Amino acid sequence: MSKQDSLWRTSLRWLQRQLVHSVVVPQDPFTDLNLDPSKPMAYVMKTESQSDIAALADVTDKLGLPSPYEPMQVADVQLPRVVCLEGAKPLLGARKDDMPFLNSFTLLLNLHQADTSLDIQLVPVSLYWGRTPGKEDDSMRAAVFERESPTWLRKFLMILFLGRDNFVQFSNAVSLRWMADQHGTDKAIAHKLSRVARVHFSRQRKVMTGPVLPNRQALFADLLQSAHLTEAIQEEASSKKIPEAEARAQAEAYLEEIAADYSDGLIRISKRLLTLLWHKLYRGISIRGAEHVRQLHHDGHEIVYVPCHRSHMDYLLLSYLLYFEGMVPPHIAAGINLNFWPAGPLFRRGGAFFIRRSFNGNKLYTAVFKEYLDQLFAKGYSVEYFTEGGRSRTGRLLSPKTGMLAMTVNSVLRGIDRPVTLVPVYLGYDHVMEVATYLKELSGRKKQKESVWQVLGAVRKLGNFGRVYVNFGEPINLQNFLSTYAPGWRESVTQDLEQKPVWLTPAVNNLATSVMTHINDAAAATAVSLISLVLLSTKQHALERQQLEKQLDFYLDLLHQVPYTNFASVAEGDGRELLRQGIELNKFCLDNDGLGDIVSIDEKVAITMTYYRNNVLHLFAVPALLASCLLNLEHCNREQLSTVVAKFYALLQAELFMGQRTLTAYIEQMLQRFEHAGYISPELVVSQSGVNALGLLAETMSETLQRYAIIFNLLSARPDIERGDLESESHLLASRLGALHGITAPEFYDKKLYAILSIRLKELGYLCGSDNQSAIHQMRDYSNLLLRPEIRQTIEDSIQSRQES
């Protein structure tokens, strides 16, 4: 390289640093892409560009990757570090021939033929100066900001106006050793490698920018002319005896109410504002599994995000993260209650489309909404909706609402070429800003209607809320799900989708349960949730510091050594570190009584902390049941333990959305960890040190077991009780039990929870009168044995007094 070239390069890099801010996707290429630093590495770029290479050089310097300016030494040969597929587009005239670039691949393959130990990693790198997808009628802007193949002048304008929004994306490396061994090293393979790379870059751009945006009014016109909506408009006019033009105007009004008006300009502005907001609110955002979702996008899947719903922050957070993970923010189904000024118009421009809480038999509205949803899928937009229907007030997942899932399945039945995949998302917070409001609502206060004043009031209270955790769960491919649940489903679909197949409703219900289970499978065990889990298991919600740290270490060992699933995550650090984090967040009290430190939960916020405990209760349901059995069942063996846990587990699945596929093996692994900790012997005898530790663990499920004891004692006393009566009687007894024994957890009194359990009881055959009394008596006896004597006595006396009255 000449001195003049060096000066030019240095000047270019200095100038670009003043104008450019690059975001790297993924943030840690070495970890996420499994790059091997011991092997030679070359970068593959679509178009030869000095500005792109300069931006890449700044990124590689920060990441510790080889610089694109640094030649690659292979034996006695010095090779360029960057391989391009095509030359730069000149300002005037035709682009030069691509043969010199193709020869680069040929040379690399020939080197592998000569040296069988050589393995160069080809790392595709894409640079995006801005992420505007463009619009169908946006020809003038596209001419100025041509992104696919810009001339140097257009690239200069892009850097000048969009340099602060530059994204540098690394993709999985391709092993040239593998290519040479599998396909050879001739020129035809070089051609094939080049073609594959072109396809890769084309797909990658679509993942990053999304499909072209339609003109909104043109979209409405197309939708109103569709066969399904035309039929619905005619039916509306006929049934209400109004002119067809009036029915059509009503349909258009519904579209105006529903449809998003996505603006990439607003997204760019929001990105900056939200970055400032997150830095103010949170100490960091932990993400798990994003690379798998990115691959689904790249493979052409239609993605439907189905997150749990904890807070209004969920909408903003997931879109923000997806944007920085190199994916297009989804179109979000938002409740019509959020369509208030100024939030509504902003949400709509950010991709929100609004849905009424109930369709109330409005056939025209239903048809308009379905047609709009079908159009989103057909055009390739990712979609997001909350299957719970609303925010959880207790920290547990709510029973799923199946409406949006049913419409998604119907869209598949109508025929979508691409695979449609649901991506469950677990969202966890060290602090949920609405928790205090949730408790007021659970205590009977009317829910406040969302308004601009409510937003401003929330903004005033913003503070340090700890960390946020976003875990992407196991995807569910809808076509595969339907093929498993209803083989031959394609043949059973008729042209008239109003006559739905008999298997459709149970399939959607099963799908909804699977979605919720997969969300819980991806739970995040955080410092706040784990500390709350321990302290709320004590009578006074307090524990000596050293004992608390030891109990946390025990729980961390269980989660690390016997992972709930591969999608779940666990807070980093040991018990001491987790406690430090919790105290820093002012969630817990630390006092010294002269004998040592005591950690406690202030009684004023004890009920609030059940919210965070409930986020992870399902992670400890089985180990807690095991601990309770070990402490309360005399002379139990492994077979008996497995039997008892399996019987209760069938109920836990319904209320906690648990989905362990190998329960017996999971139980055995947990027992091994108990033994490793010194809490039980190989004969399952609890040691002295194990009494306290396993007692605290068992207590996490005490309220759940009390509910089961109420239900099975009622069923034993009244074998022919109707399901509705069982729900109301159970709720009444739970209220009495709570008042007498100080149970304050909101979910203990949740009527909906008893309704869920009654449905599960019916499925398991417990609600069939005297036909199953032996199984009911057995469950009653197990439940009673696992309770404290005073709790059991209250339940028995209460049922006896109800029968006598």
Side-chain angles (χ1 to χ4, degrees), residues 349-366:
R349 300 283 282 176
F353 60 99
F354 293 97
I355 180 172
R356 296 181 179 182
R357 292 296 182 189
S358 171
F359 290 7
N360 287 327
N362 188 331
K363 290 186 177 181
L364 182 59
Y365 180 86
T366 302

Side-chain angles (χ1 to χ4, degrees), residues 388 392 394-398 614 617 655-656 707 747 753:
E388 294 171 280
S392 169
T394 64
R396 291 176 170 223
L397 292 185
L398 303 177
N614 290 345
L617 193 62
E655 65 167 292
L656 294 179
R707 281 197 302 274
E747 71 276 3
L753 183 53

Side-chain angles (χ1 to χ4, degrees), residues 33-92:
L33 303 178
N34 299 314
L35 300 180
D36 188 343
S38 67
K39 295 179 180 179
M41 187 183 303
Y43 303 113
V44 182
M45 303 179 76
K46 181 176 181 291
T47 305
E48 186 181 34
S49 168
Q50 290 301 317
S51 55
D52 283 1
I53 292 175
L56 176 60
D58 285 339
V59 167
T60 55
D61 288 349
K62 295 174 184 176
L63 295 173
L65 291 166
S67 170
Y69 293 126
E70 175 190 326
M72 183 169 52
Q73 189 74 36
V74 178
D76 298 329
V77 182
Q78 248 193 10
L79 300 168
R81 182 74 62 178
V82 177
V83 180
C84 300
L85 300 183
E86 60 188 21
K89 186 176 181 180
L91 185 60
L92 299 172

Side-chain angles (χ1 to χ4, degrees), residues 191-201:
H191 275 282
K192 180 177 181 179
L193 193 58
S194 178
R195 286 196 303 273
V196 169
R198 290 178 188 277
V199 171
H200 168 85
F201 286 122

Side-chain angles (χ1 to χ4, degrees), residues 235-300:
E235 184 178 342
E236 178 81 358
S238 174
S239 63
K240 292 189 175 180
K241 296 182 174 54
I242 58 175
E244 197 169 304
E246 186 177 334
R248 181 185 176 86
Q250 183 60 63
E252 188 168 3
Y254 287 151
L255 278 173
E256 287 284 359
E257 175 188 310
I258 294 167
D261 190 15
Y262 186 90
S263 165
D264 61 284
L266 178 68
I267 296 296
R268 286 201 304 274
I269 296 170
S270 301
K271 180 248 315 186
R272 292 181 173 83
L273 294 175
L274 288 175
T275 298
L276 294 173
L277 180 64
W278 300 147
H279 283 312
K280 179 177 175 59
L281 288 181
Y282 305 117
R283 294 186 179 179
I285 302 174
S286 299
I287 309 165
R288 184 181 178 90
E291 64 278 5
H292 301 303
V293 183
R294 197 158 42 239
Q295 187 60 49
L296 287 171
H297 273 290
H298 188 272
D299 292 341

Side-chain angles (χ1 to χ4, degrees), residues 272-493:
R272 292 181 173 83
L273 294 175
L274 288 175
T275 298
L276 294 173
L277 180 64
W278 300 147
H279 283 312
K280 179 177 175 59
L281 288 181
Y282 305 117
R283 294 186 179 179
I285 302 174
S286 299
I287 309 165
R288 184 181 178 90
E291 64 278 5
H292 301 303
V293 183
R294 197 158 42 239
Q295 187 60 49
L296 287 171
H297 273 290
H298 188 272
D299 292 341
H301 287 238
E302 172 61 40
I303 304 296
V304 179
Y305 297 97
V306 278
C308 61
H309 203 2
R310 309 279 194 221
S311 165
H312 280 317
M313 282 294 177
D314 299 343
Y315 301 99
L316 303 175
L317 181 66
L318 186 54
S319 292
Y320 177 83
L321 289 181
L322 289 171
Y323 183 82
F324 277 96
E325 286 293 328
M327 292 169 273
V328 179
H331 279 56
I332 307 166
I336 196 69
N337 58 305
L338 294 178
N339 191 19
F340 62 89
W341 189 90
L346 290 174
F347 285 156
R348 198 183 294 275
R349 300 283 282 176
F353 60 99
F354 293 97
I355 180 172
R356 296 181 179 182
R357 292 296 182 189
S358 171
F359 290 7
N360 287 327
N362 188 331
K363 290 186 177 181
L364 182 59
Y365 180 86
T366 302
V368 169
F369 191 88
K370 284 183 177 180
E371 200 67 23
Y372 177 72
L373 189 63
D374 282 354
Q375 191 68 218
L376 292 181
F377 291 146
K379 287 185 175 292
Y381 302 113
S382 57
V383 172
E384 173 191 339
Y385 51 75
F386 299 93
T387 50
E388 294 171 280
R391 292 165 292 160
S392 169
R393 265 62 175 172
T394 64
R396 291 176 170 223
L397 292 185
L398 303 177
S399 295
K401 303 293 190 295
T402 58
M404 287 297 295
L405 283 172
M407 283 188 275
T408 304
V409 172
N410 268 307
S411 293
V412 172
L413 298 184
R414 288 189 185 189
I416 294 179
D417 295 334
R418 299 183 311 286
V420 178
T421 299
L422 305 179
V423 176
V425 188
Y426 179 93
L427 298 167
Y429 301 84
D430 279 339
H431 177 82
V432 175
M433 62 179 66
E434 299 103 323
V435 162
T437 304
Y438 293 163
L439 293 176
K440 291 175 183 176
E441 291 174 12
L442 288 169
S443 65
R445 181 176 294 185
K446 186 177 179 182
K447 179 181 178 293
Q448 284 186 307
K449 185 178 180 181
E450 284 78 3
S451 68
V452 64
W453 308 114
Q454 195 179 42
V455 172
L456 293 174
V459 170
R460 275 194 308 109
K461 300 175 184 177
L462 296 183
N464 174 25
F465 293 160
R467 293 190 68 84
V468 181
Y469 303 83
V470 181
N471 293 346
F472 295 92
E474 181 180 0
I476 303 173
N477 180 275
L478 273 188
Q479 283 89 344
N480 291 345
F481 173 85
L482 291 174
S483 295
T484 301
Y485 190 89
W489 62 273
R490 296 177 192 275
E491 292 74 24
S492 67
V493 176

